[in-house]
Amino acid sequence: MRILMLSVLVAVAACSPEAQAPATETPAVAAPDAAASPGFAGSYVFASDNLTAAACSLVLEPDNVEGSTGIFRVTLGEALITAGESRTVSCVEAYPILSTLTGWQATEDEGVRLLGAQGESIAEFSPAGRIFQALPSSDGATYLLSPEDTLNNPQ
């Protein structure tokens, strides 16, 4: 199972937003605030905890969403569908819960909260070893957020 998970995550890394030009416009951003930007900004893989549907690449940007202190931009990449015939789709197609995703912020427990367009919490991730795990979200699913660098060091 661990080999399957790593294979899926490696394939998704190839689809990451940093490897491809973004397909959508990004919101206006304020200049990065180095003091406020959390150290875990970077490339991640978003997936359901059963790892059977899709793995979505996303980047937690260090830039503030304009007019929002402590809320940072997110760039979505593509999702690799692993059930049935492998193919790529948009992250929103694979995970409709991400359709209003506009930003992220750090949580008090050193986790990550994904935020919707109205500032609502889409999913709140807590540290679980080298990854983050979200308890059931508004859609009832449990999600994982894994730094892409864990693909090179899966300890």
Side-chain angles (χ1 to χ4, degrees):
M1 182 66 170
R2 187 175 182 152
I3 300 272
L4 174 64
M5 179 178 161
L6 290 174
S7 298
V8 168
L9 295 176
V10 168
V12 168
C15 298
S16 75
E18 291 178 341
Q20 302 176 2
T24 59
E25 290 184 32
T26 55
V29 296
D33 181 350
S37 180
F40 40 74
S43 298
Y44 288 80
V45 175
F46 178 95
S48 62
D49 66 347
N50 64 16
L51 300 173
T52 60
C56 170
S57 63
L58 60 87
V59 177
L60 301 181
E61 303 285 356
D63 307 318
N64 285 319
V65 170
E66 188 172 327
S68 301
T69 303
I71 299 176
F72 303 93
R73 290 187 317 118
V74 175
T75 303
L76 289 174
E78 292 185 325
L80 175 66
I81 303 291
T82 56
E85 186 177 326
S86 293
R87 60 190 171 93
T88 58
V89 298
S90 73
C91 286
V92 172
E93 184 178 339
Y95 294 107
I97 192 171
L98 299 176
S99 66
T100 64
L101 179 64
T102 58
W104 70 277
Q105 66 185 172
T107 62
E108 291 180 8
D109 69 348
E110 297 184 11
V112 174
R113 180 179 300 120
L114 298 181
L115 300 170
Q118 302 302 315
E120 75 279 13
S121 178
I122 292 174
E124 189 162 324
F125 295 86
S126 296
R130 300 192 66 210
I131 64 171
F132 295 96
Q133 182 174 12
L135 295 176
S137 303
S138 60
D139 65 357
T142 302
Y143 296 106
L144 303 174
L145 194 60
S146 176
E148 281 190 359
D149 69 359
T150 60
L151 302 176
N152 300 325
N153 264 329
Q155 302 168 356

